[in-house]
Amino acid sequence: MNRRRKLYDGKAKTLYEGPEPGTLIQHFKDDATAFNGKRHEIFDGKGVLNNRISEFIFTRLNQLGIPTHFLRRLNMREQLIREVEIIPLEVVVRNVAAGSIVKRLGLESGTRLPRSIIEFYYKDDQLGDPMVSEEHITAFGWATPQELDDIMTLAVRVNDFLTGLFAGVGIQLVDFKIECGRQYEGDMMRIVVADEISPDSCRLWDIKTSQKLDKDVFREQIGNLVEAYREVAQRLGILTETDNALTTGPRLVKSD
Ligand code: UDP
């Protein structure tokens, strides 16, 4: 029986009230959606893997002084996070052309971009998360120019860290998405990295074989998604080859 108050039920995660004021519990589900929710499948073990991979990355970001909402992992599927005010933007950083930029600009998938490019998408499912410019963001007040500066600095620092982390285990970081939030502490406010960083939100290609080790496996239906995510976790040293940490454990009883 789970009596915690559910605050938000997303496509791949659920947020619950945390044990103390200013904290939340982020629960990783096995659900995967693509094409703005038009396709939906459940992959046993995906939530456990994303919880672990995201914990691994956010812990290192915190250690590097890149502020995040992450406090600690609680169990197989859950982590304790700071409550932040989410800025309604998906911040995408691209190093190599793939996905939507290929279609939009007629690039060849796999082409290295002249430099890393940051893009913004307005988070609105009904509108299909349209791409927006810095002008839209500041004009509509989704973020101030100063906040946008901070967001871009964070995005570049996360990109530098992740590029090196993955290169070290034979993986090319093609692109990724982060979300940022405002963390209030007394009179102070700072922008922190929020949400998750996992193969759900990154494009990760094996450097030698170009094999896809991310959510494109599901989008393009080209293999076993959990195996791909497990490979990422193993290479990062999160799971040993024989680790069977994917048993799903007790499931929440649906209250609706
Ligand atoms: N992405 C994401 N959530 C979204 C849209 C994109 O995590 O709602 C990630 C995606 O996994 C990829 C990057 O952002 O790593 C760039 O995605 P793109 O704009 O190419 O869109 P897609 O082709 O995924 O629709």
Side-chain angles (χ1 to χ4, degrees):
M1 189 60 181
N2 199 307
R3 292 171 194 280
R4 289 177 307 190
R5 200 154 69 92
K6 193 187 277 188
L7 300 178
Y8 173 79
D9 201 7
K11 284 176 264 188
K13 294 188 295 295
T14 306
L15 289 180
Y16 295 93
E17 207 170 54
E20 289 140 37
T23 66
L24 300 176
I25 292 169
Q26 178 164 257
H27 178 105
F28 288 75
K29 302 195 275 192
D30 284 336
D31 302 59
T33 60
F35 312 114
N36 204 14
K38 285 188 200 86
R39 210 161 81 226
H40 177 209
E41 262 180 67
I42 295 185
F43 294 95
D44 202 10
K46 179 178 85 84
V48 175
L49 282 163
N50 279 354
N51 186 25
R52 295 289 296 269
I53 294 169
S54 204
E55 170 201 16
F56 180 89
I57 292 171
F58 275 78
T59 300
R60 274 152 190 79
L61 292 176
N62 283 342
Q63 285 166 352
L64 287 170
I66 300 174
T68 82
H69 72 162
F70 179 82
L71 292 169
R72 65 190 163 88
R73 184 167 64 84
L74 295 171
N75 56 49
M76 301 258 286
R77 288 181 178 276
E78 294 176 335
Q79 41 185 249
L80 185 68
I81 58 172
R82 283 201 184 88
E83 184 170 23
V84 300
E85 191 178 278
I86 290 286
I87 294 165
L89 297 173
E90 302 208 330
V91 182
V92 169
V93 183
R94 300 179 184 278
N95 301 304
V96 171
S100 65
I101 197 173
V102 164
K103 287 192 207 129
R104 195 178 330 114
L105 301 182
L107 303 174
E108 193 180 333
S109 182
T111 317
R112 175 153 285 282
L113 298 168
R115 60 174 172 80
S116 303
I117 296 173
I118 303 179
E119 294 174 348
F120 301 101
Y121 295 84
Y122 179 53
K123 268 168 69 79
D124 186 314
D125 280 343
Q126 286 200 332
L127 299 176
D129 298 343
M131 189 168 161
V132 293
S133 73
E134 294 175 42
E135 280 285 285
H136 297 110
I137 295 167
T138 52
F140 290 114
W142 299 323
T144 65
Q146 175 60 52
E147 289 172 338
L148 206 44
D149 257 17
D150 292 351
I151 291 169
M152 290 174 79
T153 304
L154 279 181
V156 169
R157 292 179 75 191
V158 172
N159 187 44
D160 287 347
F161 165 69
L162 287 181
T163 298
L165 174 76
F166 284 118
V169 297
I171 293 174
Q172 182 178 42
L173 177 67
V174 171
D175 57 33
F176 66 95
K177 182 263 303 185
I178 55 169
E179 293 183 26
C180 297
R182 298 182 187 95
Q183 185 202 321
Y184 294 95
E185 245 178 61
D187 288 346
M188 300 284 285
M189 186 281 288
R190 64 173 179 171
I191 305 288
V192 304
V193 183
D195 194 49
E196 72 179 298
I197 300 177
S198 74
D200 267 8
S201 57
C202 302
R203 281 199 172 88
L204 304 170
W205 295 355
D206 182 88
I207 286 177
K208 284 207 194 104
T209 66
S210 294
Q211 188 197 347
K212 295 181 179 179
L213 299 170
D214 56 59
K215 203 168 128 182
D216 276 349
V217 170
F218 164 64
R219 292 191 191 97
E220 299 169 15
Q221 299 193 287
I222 49 171
N224 184 321
L225 177 123
V226 172
E227 279 312 310
Y229 286 28
R230 196 200 302 256
E231 174 73 24
V232 173
Q234 273 170 5
R235 288 204 202 178
L236 292 174
I238 299 168
L239 298 179
T240 63
E241 250 160 79
T242 50
D243 204 336
N244 200 10
L246 301 183
T247 46
T248 46
R251 279 176 185 279
L252 283 175
V253 179
K254 278 232 163 88
S255 53
D256 47 347

